[in-house]
Amino acid sequence: MESGLVLLIAANVAFVGTHFLMSHPLRQPMVGRLGAGGFQIAYTIVSAATLAWVYFAYKAAPAGDLPGSGEIGWIIATVLTLPATVLLAGSLFGNPALPVPGAEAQARAEPRGVFRVTRHPMMWGIGLWALSHIVLFTNWRSVLTAFAMGVLALVGARLQDAKKERLMGEAWAEWESKTSYWPRLGRLLSARPVAWGLGIVLFFGLSWLHLRAGGIPAGVWRWI
């Protein structure tokens, strides 16, 4: 395997691994030693540094061309990306998984919008985005990086459930009883108008930037 791809794998492992370690086994010891504010600063620095490593390793790695899945793959990827952006947009409103005041009350409330689809809309938005890039199967560096991001999101969602059960107790258990880890995409139409509006803007905007930043037309822009 090309040394550039090995470095890219190492960067992705570092990014995903440090997220898991700092979010779970190392969280309490770090908070105890650094305080809550210090922990957030350390978390942000490590996350930014390892993400930068992924970015530069990705740019430096040889593409490692794969056969690709052709137009069918692009159609599937485009179809996957729209629910991904709607889930991501909807996850920003009333999400009890976020460390915000009132999270416990939100967990006890009746699920609305994208939370009727899954209790982890942000994670599944990232997961569907990752899957859309794996489906294209165009080159190794894209597949490896997308796989790593998918693992971070979807395994991270499972680990988040366990952490929230410890931190929020009955409130999170109640939230779990009313929601699903696995996405029920048939319920996506019940998402709030703001989630659909912002999601569609993200869908068109990010796919437009895909051409500007990466030189590859994506989404509906591929056929316009």
Side-chain angles (χ1 to χ4, degrees):
M1 183 179 288
E2 291 274 357
S3 61
L5 288 176
V6 172
L7 288 175
L8 178 60
I9 292 171
N12 277 296
V13 169
F15 181 66
V16 174
T18 53
H19 266 72
F20 285 161
L21 288 171
M22 291 189 297
S23 296
H24 301 285
L26 296 182
R27 183 183 183 90
Q28 284 304 110
M30 290 179 69
V31 170
R33 182 174 291 271
L34 303 174
F39 168 76
Q40 288 298 330
I41 292 171
Y43 188 99
T44 300
I45 291 172
V46 173
S47 298
T50 51
L51 182 60
W53 185 15
V54 171
Y55 172 79
F56 289 113
Y58 182 92
K59 298 291 285 186
D65 288 341
L66 294 168
S69 50
E71 286 301 293
I72 293 297
W74 278 104
I75 292 169
I76 294 172
T78 301
V79 170
L80 288 171
T81 303
L82 180 57
T85 56
V86 174
L87 287 172
L88 183 61
S91 73
L92 303 176
F93 306 97
N95 189 347
L98 298 178
V100 295
E104 187 169 329
Q106 291 171 346
R108 295 187 183 279
E110 194 62 26
R112 297 177 57 195
V114 295
F115 300 100
R116 296 187 67 245
V117 180
T118 172
R119 67 177 164 273
H120 296 292
M122 182 179 293
M123 302 299 203
W124 274 103
I126 296 170
L128 290 174
W129 167 87
L131 180 59
S132 73
H133 285 72
I134 293 170
V135 164
L136 290 174
F137 206 61
T138 54
N139 60 71
W140 275 115
R141 66 180 184 178
S142 292
V143 170
L144 290 169
T145 302
F147 178 78
M149 299 304 148
V151 168
L152 175 61
L154 302 185
V155 175
R158 279 298 194 192
L159 294 174
Q160 185 183 71
D161 277 337
K163 180 174 70 175
K164 292 296 183 180
E165 287 167 7
R166 293 193 301 272
L167 295 175
M168 296 177 65
E170 290 183 6
W172 193 261
E174 185 177 341
W175 184 243
E176 287 182 309
S177 71
K178 296 181 294 189
T179 56
S180 171
Y181 168 81
W182 296 101
R184 301 163 178 171
L185 292 176
R187 298 183 178 183
L188 194 60
L189 291 176
S190 66
R192 297 175 181 179
V194 66
W196 273 101
L198 183 55
I200 289 171
V201 169
L202 287 172
F203 174 73
F204 282 100
L206 293 175
S207 56
W208 180 82
L209 285 174
H210 202 283
L211 174 60
R212 298 299 181 271
I216 301 173
V220 294
W221 306 109
R222 185 171 181 83
W223 298 284
I224 294 177

